[in-house]
Amino acid sequence: MKLLELLQNEAMKSKRLILMILVSGVCNAMLLVLINKASEKIDGDRSFIFLASILAVMLFLLAQRYILRQGTKKIQNVIEDIRIKIIDELRFAELSAVEALGNSEIYARMSDDTQRIAEASLDLIKALQAMVLVLFSFIYIGTISLPALVILLLGIVIGGVFFFYNNKSAATVFKEVARKDTAFYQALSDMLHGFKELKINRQKSDDANIHYRMAASEVNTFRVKARFINITSQLATESLFFLVLIGVVFVIPQLQEYSDPNIVKISAAILFLIGPVTLVIGSIPSILEASQSAENIENLERSIRSAKSNTDQYHVGKDNPLDLQHEIALGNLYFEYPSSESNGFKVGPFSVTIPKGNITFIVGGNGSGKSTLLKLISGLYYPDSGIITKDGVPISPDNYQHYREMFSVIFADFHLFERLFGLGLIDEQKVEILLSKLKIDHKTKFKSNTFSEIKLSTGQRKRLALITALLEDKQAYVFDEVAADQDPIFKKFFYEELLFELKALGKTLIVVTHDENYFHLADRQYKLQDGQLISND
């Protein structure tokens, strides 16, 4: 089982935990033996049995306390390792591959699946304790009556065969549950991210709600189906135990003479076993579901790992940007999305030259390929063919990350971090000056490397993104529609002052814009249409 594979490394580190599981199971089984012994000596001295029973209970409780505390700690260590491992894998994956995976898939694996693994792992520990108890109870029954043990084992074998085929079906259902979970998260994501669009259009909201309800209902249907399969197994197993009990009480006495105390002891032992066996069976659905979750996580890691590029094998924190002296050039660059994404949209082949210290505008209608071109220029997408050169030197797997480090980028769908990462301790006064310069100081403050407020309008958030980019002080800036959603005064400031201030500092500026009134300010201008370069001014 994938769950056991996932936990075995951590379990091997804690032999004491395994020992305590054995101790708790043995102590529990000893109580059965001691209680039966005590029932034989109703009129005799039972003080030793009494003290032994108290000792067994105390040892059981101490072992149980240790198991639950250490087990919880070990399980959480496993969950932490999973999450850190996935994040580390994601950091070095290609952007296009992460986009193909989708946020819903990653969220489902990182939240629901890890939570199921944590919960089922504790169930697994309890099941192991119960199995130790069952094993020692079998040994005890065998010392009293071999025929009773044979009947009991026969019942277990019959139940095991039924259980195997039943839970094979449950495992298949849990695979479908995982798929439906991802669809549910996608529907939930649509409801949250598209809230404004749904709020303004009731028909759209109603249709989206129906889709969301259907996704939630499908998850529920398959979960219930899987649980029903297990309930059937549980009832069948309990029925087998009662049949075994009937066999012990009515059949064995016909085969061989037994004293009443022995039959009572065996019956008590079998009744004692029903609880632990039911616990083991009851834990199987969560263990199966967690095993499927472990497989989901393994598949996610495999997908991310296969999306990792050799260009991303670099040492964190030790990547100095390349030094741009003359120009960036794209030679016959071509890129095509997989057919399942963006309907196989492609850009190129085209050749573009971006001189150092120049202002380069990229213009074109929506869907013309501007954002894709920016991702190629900044090294976030790898071209299917063609070459990127810096000062005439080709960008290769050995220096791709160093090439990326030249850029500071604000995409149209940018993410604004509340905290400034990767800049060390920033001079707060310097940030306050920029906040004032970009007319945003009345909306947010900066302290301890953190903006006090980022839940602002789109235009205001873009100004904060600009401040972050300026603080990064990179050689090249890529601005994708940064001036959109801004008032005319700020637009004028952005095009006529800020861009030229950066140009005077020797910065290379690549700007996507629709503002025709400012096209004349660019040193170069490229126009795209349907992924093709149609003019070069």
Side-chain angles (χ1 to χ4, degrees):
M1 261 193 305
K2 291 293 181 185
L3 179 61
L4 291 175
E5 291 177 16
L6 191 67
L7 297 175
Q8 66 181 357
N9 290 335
E10 196 67 35
M12 290 299 107
K13 297 176 186 176
S14 183
K15 295 179 181 178
R16 189 179 296 178
L17 178 62
I18 297 171
L19 176 63
M20 287 300 177
I21 289 174
L22 289 171
V23 169
S24 67
V26 171
C27 288
N28 220 340
M30 283 301 299
L31 282 173
L32 169 63
V33 176
L34 291 168
I35 289 168
N36 275 340
K37 285 289 183 184
S39 66
E40 292 177 353
K41 296 184 177 182
I42 295 177
D43 298 325
D45 182 10
R46 298 186 295 175
S47 57
F48 174 77
I49 298 174
F50 172 74
L51 291 173
S53 299
I54 295 296
L55 179 62
V57 170
M58 290 178 65
L59 284 174
F60 170 76
L61 291 175
L62 288 172
Q64 191 77 350
R65 181 174 180 270
Y66 181 88
I67 289 164
L68 292 176
R69 288 186 65 179
Q70 290 301 311
T72 300
K73 182 179 178 181
K74 296 294 181 184
I75 289 161
Q76 290 306 317
N77 286 343
V78 170
I79 300 305
E80 180 184 357
D81 289 344
I82 289 171
R83 288 173 171 165
I84 290 174
K85 188 177 179 181
I86 290 175
I87 290 298
D88 283 343
E89 295 283 3
L90 278 171
R91 289 178 60 214
F92 301 115
E94 291 188 22
L95 171 63
S96 56
V98 174
E99 290 173 341
L101 278 172
N103 291 343
S104 300
E105 174 76 13
I106 297 169
Y107 285 148
R109 304 294 80 87
M110 294 279 276
S111 56
D112 272 15
D113 281 336
T114 53
Q115 183 62 30
R116 287 191 199 108
I117 289 170
E119 292 171 357
S121 298
L122 282 175
D123 290 342
L124 180 60
I125 290 173
K126 293 175 184 177
L128 289 173
Q129 290 178 271
M131 288 169 70
V132 172
L133 170 59
V134 169
L135 176 62
F136 279 91
S137 298
F138 278 7
I139 294 171
Y140 174 65
I141 291 170
T143 61
I144 299 174
S145 168
L146 285 176
L149 179 61
V150 170
I151 291 176
L152 188 58
L153 290 174
L154 184 63
I156 293 293
V157 169
I158 293 170
V161 171
F162 174 78
F163 214 80
F164 173 78
Y165 285 105
N166 215 34
N167 284 308
K168 193 175 180 181
S169 174
T172 302
V173 175
F174 278 125
K175 285 183 182 291
E176 192 62 23
V177 168
R179 195 174 68 84
K180 297 297 182 183
D181 261 345
T182 302
F184 168 76
Y185 270 99
Q186 183 59 57
L188 177 60
S189 177
D190 288 341
M191 293 284 285
L192 294 174
H193 290 101
F195 187 82
K196 297 187 293 297
E197 291 79 1
L198 296 177
K199 189 69 176 176
I200 204 168
N201 187 326
R202 177 55 63 87
Q203 184 60 52
K204 182 184 286 188
S205 176
D206 290 345
D207 284 349
N209 184 49
I210 291 170
H211 178 68
Y212 172 81
R213 285 172 175 267
M214 286 178 62
S217 177
E218 286 177 348
V219 171
N220 181 61
T221 298
F222 279 96
R223 285 195 186 282
V224 169
K225 185 177 179 180
R227 296 292 175 180
F228 278 173
I229 291 172
N230 182 255
I231 288 169
T232 303
S233 297
Q234 197 167 339
L235 290 174
T237 305
E238 289 178 3
S239 300
L240 276 171
F241 267 91
F242 285 117
L243 289 173
V244 168
L245 185 60
I246 291 170
V248 168
V249 174
F250 293 100
V251 176
I252 290 180
Q254 304 301 318
L255 300 175
Q256 188 176 347
E257 289 296 327
Y258 280 89
S259 63
D260 286 341
N262 278 338
I263 292 179
V264 170
K265 288 178 186 178
I266 296 166
S267 300
I270 292 171
L271 287 171
F272 189 78
L273 281 174
I274 291 176
V277 170
T278 302
L279 187 152
V280 172
I281 294 168
S283 67
I284 286 175
S286 63
I287 291 172
L288 282 176
E289 196 167 6
S291 291
Q292 181 58 51
S293 292
E295 186 175 333
N296 295 340
I297 289 170
E298 186 180 87
N299 290 337
L300 175 63
E301 288 179 356
R302 191 181 298 114
S303 297
I304 297 172
R305 203 173 298 118
S306 66
K308 191 186 294 185
S309 168
N310 291 333
T311 63
D312 282 315
Q313 304 305 309
Y314 62 93
H315 300 288
V316 179
K318 296 181 181 179
D319 296 284
N320 297 320
L322 298 178
D323 185 18
L324 181 61
Q325 295 292 330
H326 303 293
E327 65 182 22
I328 297 168
L330 283 58
N332 292 317
L333 216 63
Y334 175 84
F335 176 84
E336 182 174 0
Y337 289 94
S339 57
S340 59
E341 304 169 40
S342 306
N343 297 317
F345 179 77
K346 53 183 177 290
V347 295
F350 45 60
S351 297
V352 170
T353 300
I354 302 169
K356 177 184 177 178
N358 275 17
I359 299 174
T360 300
F361 281 3
I362 298 174
V363 302
N366 292 332
S368 61
K370 300 186 302 297
S371 293
T372 302
L373 177 57
L374 293 185
K375 290 172 183 176
L376 287 165
I377 292 173
S378 58
L380 289 173
Y381 281 173
Y382 306 116
D384 294 320
S385 62
I387 191 170
I388 299 176
T389 61
K390 192 276 303 180
D391 300 330
V393 178
I395 303 303
S396 66
D398 293 332
N399 62 5
Y400 227 98
Q401 180 59 33
H402 298 277
Y403 170 75
R404 289 184 191 134
E405 297 285 345
M406 297 194 311
F407 294 91
S408 185
V409 181
I410 303 177
F411 288 109
D413 58 349
F414 72 97
H415 178 80
L416 183 64
F417 292 95
E418 186 177 59
R419 184 176 180 83
L420 292 182
F421 293 108
L423 293 173
L425 189 61
I426 299 296
D427 182 357
E428 292 181 8
Q429 186 176 2
K430 181 178 180 180
V431 180
E432 291 296 337
I433 290 171
L434 287 172
L435 287 169
S436 176
K437 185 175 183 177
L438 272 65
K439 311 298 183 187
I440 195 70
D441 54 319
H442 63 295
K443 290 291 185 178
T444 188
K445 302 298 178 183
F446 184 79
K447 189 174 183 180
S448 301
N449 270 35
T450 303
F451 290 113
S452 62
E453 181 60 72
I454 62 170
K455 295 177 182 178
L456 306 168
S457 69
T458 303
Q460 291 166 343
R461 285 166 55 82
K462 285 183 178 181
R463 296 187 195 189
L464 281 184
L466 262 175
I467 289 173
T468 302
L470 294 174
L471 290 169
E472 288 178 351
D473 193 26
K474 295 296 184 76
Q475 298 176 65
Y477 287 91
V478 174
F479 297 142
D480 189 356
E481 297 286 3
V482 170
D485 306 302
Q486 304 289 355
D487 59 68
I489 295 175
F490 187 84
K491 280 189 179 184
K492 183 179 178 64
F493 163 76
F494 174 77
Y495 287 111
E496 296 184 356
E497 294 185 39
L498 184 60
L499 291 184
F500 282 90
E501 286 178 12
L502 292 172
K503 180 180 178 178
L505 293 172
K507 307 297 184 183
T508 303
L509 299 150
I510 304 161
V511 182
V512 169
T513 178
H514 287 105
D515 294 319
E516 296 182 4
N517 292 336
Y518 298 99
F519 281 1
H520 65 282
L521 298 176
D523 296 303
R524 292 197 177 193
Q525 179 177 301
Y526 297 98
K527 186 173 183 180
L528 291 178
Q529 181 177 309
D530 298 326
Q532 301 298 310
L533 190 64
I534 60 173
S535 71
N536 179 358
D537 300 329

